[in-house]
């Protein structure tokens, strides 16, 4: 079946007008969302949906770039990395260490290890009031590299790529 010339021309012109209108929202969506695959055992899921503008709450899963350090490089390789962790502490919360226990607002949220799986000594993470626009992160995995340790510390707004949710 062929379309007559009187129908083809308006359809073509309509497509030329509508295509840019559809492209802008798709491009905006692409810039603000991502599908992520987890290759680490520190989170129980392997696929996540990232939203760069989702609000962050206690318990949110956030994805961020850890600060550069020899510890991160030794365990994960050179170059930029992306970590995904749960938010355990919010701005204004108080972090305290008692031995190897980590407490936020007086409630135990984690236990620190002395060394990594490769035998590298771990330093204690930050204590005190969590600053504005920063978060204390962690996972249920005992060997997760997170805010319990000085190499990661508080995760602040400039490091955060977005908040995510597990999809698989």
């Amino acid at each position: 079946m062929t379309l007559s010339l009187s129908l083809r021309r308006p359809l073509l012109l309509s497509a030329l007008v509508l295509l840019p209108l559809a492209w802008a929202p798709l491009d905006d969506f692409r810039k603000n969302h991502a599908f992520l695959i987890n290759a680490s055992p520190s989170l129980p899921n392997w696929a996540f949906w990232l939203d760069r503008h989702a609000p962050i709450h206690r318990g949110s899963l956030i994805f961020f770039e850890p600060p550069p350090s020899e510890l991160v490089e030794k365990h994960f390789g050179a170059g930029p990395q992306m970590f995904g962790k749960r938010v355990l502490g919010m701005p204004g919360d108080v972090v305290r260490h008692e031995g190897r226990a980590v407490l936020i607002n007086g409630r135990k949220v984690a236990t620190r290890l002395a060394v990594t799986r490769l035998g590298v000594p771990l330093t204690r993470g930050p204590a005190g009031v969590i600053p504005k626009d920063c978060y204390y992160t962690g996972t249920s995995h005992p060997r997760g590299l997170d805010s319990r340790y000085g190499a990661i510390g508080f995760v602040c707004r400039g490091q955060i790529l977005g908040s995510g949710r597990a999809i698989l």
Side-chain angles (χ1 to χ4, degrees):
M1 179 172 112
T2 61
L3 293 173
S4 69
L5 185 59
S6 62
L7 281 176
R8 266 191 279 167
R9 196 170 276 152
L11 285 173
L12 181 61
L13 289 173
S14 295
L16 288 173
V17 169
L18 293 175
L19 185 61
L21 294 176
W23 188 262
L26 289 173
D27 187 50
D28 186 52
F29 183 83
R30 178 193 59 81
K31 289 177 184 173
N32 294 305
H33 298 84
F35 176 72
L36 305 174
I37 301 293
N38 177 33
S40 161
S42 70
L43 292 173
N45 302 87
W46 65 269
F48 299 90
W49 186 249
L50 176 77
D51 183 342
R52 295 186 196 283
H53 299 294
I56 297 173
H57 306 285
R58 189 179 318 276
S60 291
L61 180 62
I62 61 172
F63 291 88
F64 62 94
E65 294 177 353
S69 74
E70 288 180 29
L71 181 67
V72 171
E73 187 173 327
K74 183 167 186 160
H75 285 77
F76 300 99
Q81 303 293 326
M82 184 187 322
F83 281 21
K85 307 291 179 190
R86 291 262 174 226
V87 173
L88 302 177
M90 300 291 291
D93 287 352
V94 178
V95 178
R96 198 173 82 232
H97 298 268
E98 288 182 3
R100 295 213 183 280
V102 179
L103 295 93
I104 296 179
N105 298 333
R107 192 178 126 253
K108 183 179 175 185
V109 296
T111 302
R112 292 182 299 106
L113 299 173
V115 296
T116 69
R117 63 182 169 79
L118 300 178
V120 178
L122 291 163
T123 59
R124 188 178 86 174
V129 176
I130 300 174
K132 180 179 188 244
D133 293 329
C134 295
Y135 303 91
Y136 193 95
T137 65
T139 69
S140 58
H141 192 281
R143 292 211 168 271
L145 190 55
D146 50 44
S147 294
R148 293 176 284 181
Y149 307 109
I152 303 300
F154 293 131
V155 177
C156 298
R157 183 63 63 190
Q159 299 169 259
I160 298 171
L161 303 171
S163 184
R165 63 184 165 100
I167 56 175
L168 293 173

